[in-house]
Amino acid sequence: MKAATPIDRLKEHVGQTVTLEGWVYNSRPSGKLAFITLRDGTGLCQCVLEKKPETDGFFDAVARLGQESSLILTGLVAEEPRSVGGYELRVSGAEVVHPASDYPITPKPHGIEFLMKQRHLWFRSKRQWHVLRIRATVVDAIRRFLNDNGYVLIDTPIFAPAAGEGAQTLFEVDYFGEPVYLAQTGQLYVEAACMAHGKVYCFGPTFRAEKSKTRRHLTEFWMVEPEIAYASLDDVIDVAEDFTCAIVERVLNDHRDELIELGRDVAELEAIKKPFYRLTYTEAADILHGPRAKELLEKDLVEKSVRIEALSKEIEECEAVAKQEGVKQWKKDKAAADAIAKREERADLEEQVKNIPHHMELAAHFKWGSDLGGSDETIISRLHDRPVFVTHYPRGVKAFYMREDRKDPRLSENFDLLAPQGFGEIIGGSAREEDYDRLVNRIKEENLPQADYEWYLDLRRYGTVPHGGFGLGVERTLCWLCGLKHIREAIPFPRMMGKFYP
Ligand code: 4AD
C-alpha cells in the first residue's frame, strides 16, 4: 500500500500524484464540481473533484459525504494560493472509509455547555486543534529546557500519604482501607531527589479539590516542578525567568501563524524578554490601595457597560433577521448563530461588570497579611506589560515548607510569577526551609501530623543545604500564550468541579 502524504508536506509534492488520508472538514458540491476540504491531523487541503468518466464511479458518493466522514483521496498536487494551505488536490481516485452523517458540531457557533459535552469531537475543530498542538510544543519546550540544562527527571508518586499544599484541597482515596491523597504537588519528593542529583524536576498530573468554578482552576492539571540544591531565592527566580522566556520563544518560533489565527496579539508575546518586573508583596499591596488600580477598574466598568449595550442592540438585530420572511435560509442560520455567540459574550461581560465593584472593594481594603486573591493578581498583572515576580509574602498565607526570611521573620522567601495583561499566576515557587527546628515549628503551627513528614525532616537531618524550586502550571501558561479566556480549553479533557464527562 502506498503511504499517505501528510497535508503539511504537500509543498514537496507539487506536480506529483499523492494519497491523502483524512476526514471531511467541509464539503461544497457545485454541479459538476465538488470542493472538499480534507483534514488529516497535520492541516487542511482543498480537494477538487470533477465529474468526468474517470471519477464517475465515486463522484456522487464522495460529493454527498457528510462532515467528518473518513475518506482517502488520491490526486495531483497543484499550487493554489487561494486555497487553504496554498495547495490543492485534483482528485483522480477515492475510497470512502466511513460515511458520517449529522455530525453534531457544525461550522456555526455553538454554546459552550454543548461543546464541553462534545469535547471528544470538539477538539477536531480548528481552534481547539491549534491550542492542543501549541500545548504539545509547550510541554516539549519545558522538557528540552530542563534536559538541556542538566536537570534529571524524577517521577514522583500520585498516591501521597500527606498534604503538600493546603489540606483543604486534598482528594482522598481509599488505599486498601487506609486514606491516601492524590498528589497536589511532587515537590516534597523532588526535594529529596535534588539532594541526590543536584538539579531535578518532576512533570505530571496534579490534583486539587478546588471547590469553586473559576476560569483559572482545574481539579486535575499538569505541573512541572524543577528543584535545585544549593540555590537561593534569587537563583530560583533567575531560572524561572529563563525558563519562561525559553517557552515563549519556542512557541513564537513554531506557532506564529496559529497564534495569529487564535487572535493572540503576537507583539505582546514578543515583548516577553528579561528582565521581568520584581515587586515585593508589600509593594503589590500598595499598588492595590493606590490610584492606578482604582482607575483601571473604573475604566473597565464604563467600557464593559458600553459594550453590553451595543451587544444587546446587535442581538436584537440578529434575532430579527433570523425570523424575517423572504431572507435566504443560510442568512437566517448565520444570524441565529451570531445571536448565540453574542449572547454568550454579553452574559460573560455582565458577570464581569457585576463583580467589578466587589473587586474594587477587595483591592482598596486589601489587608496586609492576607493572600492576594485572583482579582488582585489580575489587577497587578494588567498593570504590567511583562511578567511580574511578586516575592516575600507573609508566612501565614503560604505553605509550611517555605523558607523564613531571616531579615524579616514575618515573611517567607517565596514568589509567584504573574503573566501580564491579566492572565495572572502561572508559577509559584520558593526557597525551602532548610533548618530542622524552624521547619518542625512550621509543621506544628499548621497542625500537620509530624509523623507523616519524618522522612521529609530527614532531608534536614542529613546534609541539609539551602535549596529551592518552583511549579509552572501548563494550562495556565497555555491560557496566557494562546489568549484563552477559560482554562477548560487548555487541556484535552478538562476536570472541574461538577465536570468529568467525557
Ligand atoms: O503555587 P502552587 O500551588 O505551587 C506548588 O504546588 C508548589 N509545590 C510548586 C513548587 O514550588 N514546586 O502551584 C504552582 C502552579 C500555579 O502557579 C499554577 O500555574 C498551577 O500550578 N496551578 C493550577 N493550575 C490549574 N488549576 C489549579 N487548580 C491550579 N493550582 C495551581
Side-chain angles (χ1 to χ4, degrees):
M1 196 176 99
K2 192 179 176 314
T5 302
I7 288 174
D8 66 354
R9 306 288 293 270
L10 284 180
K11 59 175 169 298
E12 297 159 26
H13 297 275
V14 175
Q16 297 170 9
T17 294
V18 302
T19 297
L20 304 181
E21 294 173 339
W23 295 263
V24 175
Y25 194 71
N26 220 328
S27 172
R28 205 158 35 90
S30 156
K32 285 193 177 317
L33 282 177
F35 298 92
I36 296 163
T37 307
L38 200 75
R39 178 182 76 67
D40 79 339
T42 72
L44 297 173
C45 176
Q46 171 161 284
C47 303
V48 187
L49 183 54
E50 201 182 334
K51 194 170 171 90
K52 52 187 178 183
E54 57 171 311
T55 63
D56 217 26
F58 56 82
F59 182 90
D60 288 336
V62 172
R64 275 188 279 108
L65 279 177
Q67 195 189 338
E68 289 305 320
S69 296
S70 34
L71 177 65
I72 300 175
L73 292 176
T74 301
L76 187 72
V77 181
E79 243 173 295
E80 176 49 75
R82 288 169 303 175
S83 226
V84 53
Y87 302 89
E88 71 176 22
L89 192 81
R90 306 206 170 132
V91 178
S92 53
E95 182 194 332
V96 177
V97 181
H98 179 247
S101 51
D102 301 325
Y103 184 70
I105 306 175
T106 56
K108 63 186 187 191
H110 296 275
I112 187 68
E113 287 301 319
F114 172 80
L115 290 170
M116 289 303 292
K117 289 203 178 92
Q118 304 287 337
R119 184 64 175 165
H120 51 298
L121 302 175
W122 187 25
F123 57 43
R124 299 183 192 190
S125 304
K126 222 160 146 193
R127 202 183 142 75
Q128 304 305 312
W129 183 78
H130 287 322
V131 172
L132 293 186
R133 284 172 91 88
I134 296 174
R135 178 184 168 107
T137 298
V138 167
V139 169
D140 189 51
I142 286 171
R143 292 193 187 282
R144 260 173 219 241
F145 178 93
L146 295 169
N147 293 339
D148 290 351
N149 284 286
Y151 290 76
V152 178
L153 172 69
I154 300 291
D155 297 315
T156 52
I158 285 176
F159 290 131
E165 300 296 325
Q168 63 285 358
T169 61
L170 284 171
F171 273 117
E172 194 175 307
V173 181
D174 177 353
Y175 193 77
F176 306 111
E178 282 193 65
V180 295
Y181 309 100
L182 297 183
Q184 296 170 302
T185 170
Q187 181 201 315
L188 307 193
Y189 295 98
V190 281
E191 280 188 59
C194 88
M195 299 303 163
H197 296 275
K199 296 203 291 188
V200 297
Y201 72 102
C202 63
F203 192 4
T206 311
F207 306 89
R208 307 249 172 118
E210 304 282 359
K211 291 182 198 75
S212 59
K213 292 181 196 168
T214 79
R215 40 185 86 231
R216 287 184 185 165
H217 290 92
L218 293 163
T219 52
E220 178 179 323
F221 61 96
W222 282 67
M223 179 160 61
V224 57
E225 298 182 85
E227 191 72 26
I228 313 162
Y230 287 105
S232 66
L233 179 65
D234 279 338
D235 295 334
V236 177
I237 288 179
D238 289 346
V239 173
E241 194 172 57
D242 286 335
F243 186 54
T244 308
C245 288
I247 296 169
V248 174
E249 203 175 297
R250 173 76 188 283
V251 166
L252 273 172
N253 190 54
D254 290 12
H255 294 285
R256 180 175 298 268
D257 293 347
E258 279 112 319
L259 290 169
I260 293 168
E261 243 192 84
L262 288 171
R264 185 69 172 103
D265 182 345
V266 177
E268 284 179 0
L269 294 178
E270 276 163 346
I272 307 305
K273 295 269 186 289
K274 290 204 290 188
F276 296 173
Y277 297 99
R278 296 182 190 203
L279 296 176
T280 63
Y281 165 91
T282 305
E283 287 164 341
D286 289 344
I287 292 181
L288 292 175
H289 295 145
R292 285 166 70 209
K294 187 158 177 271
E295 273 162 28
L296 182 81
L297 294 182
E298 280 170 353
K299 194 161 154 251
D300 259 10
L301 197 56
V302 173
E303 284 175 2
K304 289 185 174 159
S305 305
V306 168
R307 177 76 188 134
I308 289 173
E309 229 169 86
L311 277 169
S312 298
K313 271 212 191 101
E314 290 170 23
I315 293 166
E316 266 175 39
E317 284 161 16
C318 288
E319 282 170 346
V321 173
K323 280 190 225 137
Q324 207 172 323
E325 276 178 38
V327 172
K328 287 209 172 96
Q329 191 56 43
W330 72 265
K331 262 196 174 168
K332 287 186 174 188
D333 289 348
K334 183 170 180 308
D338 286 350
I340 294 181
K342 286 178 196 296
R343 252 187 257 123
E344 224 158 67
E345 187 188 340
R346 184 178 62 181
D348 199 38
L349 284 169
E350 281 170 347
E351 180 71 21
Q352 291 179 36
V353 163
K354 202 172 82 195
N355 288 329
I356 289 173
H358 179 54
H359 293 165
M360 286 171 94
E361 188 74 15
L362 287 176
H365 298 110
F366 182 79
K367 252 212 175 107
W368 196 100
S370 50
D371 202 359
L372 293 177
S375 61
D376 304 320
E377 283 176 2
T378 305
I379 294 170
I380 307 282
S381 130
R382 284 184 60 197
L383 291 171
H384 292 86
D385 55 357
R386 269 174 288 138
V388 192
F389 287 106
V390 183
T391 67
H392 298 92
Y393 284 59
R395 274 201 307 140
V397 296
K398 287 291 168 189
F400 73 96
Y401 55 71
M402 292 185 178
R403 187 174 199 267
E404 175 188 301
D405 184 351
R406 304 299 193 252
K407 293 194 289 289
D408 184 348
R410 296 175 308 155
L411 307 178
S412 58
E413 287 194 8
N414 81 303
F415 69 92
D416 281 349
L417 179 65
L418 310 183
Q421 292 109 22
F423 286 96
E425 183 197 326
I426 56 168
I427 294 183
S430 74
R432 320 303 187 192
E433 185 52 75
E434 77 277 16
D435 179 76
Y436 177 87
D437 294 327
R438 284 191 169 92
L439 187 57
V440 169
N441 277 341
R442 283 295 287 141
I443 288 175
K444 286 187 180 145
E445 267 171 32
E446 296 287 320
N447 287 323
L448 293 167
Q450 190 178 327
D452 289 349
Y453 296 90
E454 282 304 328
W455 70 269
Y456 184 66
L457 288 167
D458 271 353
L459 307 176
R460 279 69 180 172
R461 289 190 185 103
Y462 306 109
T464 189
V465 297
H467 65 289
F470 61 87
L472 172 139
V474 169
E475 293 77 15
R476 296 261 186 99
T477 304
L478 206 64
C479 283
W480 168 45
L481 296 176
C482 296
L484 307 179
K485 285 199 202 138
H486 201 296
I487 199 161
R488 65 191 160 211
E489 285 184 49
I491 185 162
F493 292 99
R495 301 288 177 250
M496 285 170 286
M497 195 174 87
K499 279 208 170 66
F500 47 85
Y501 176 90

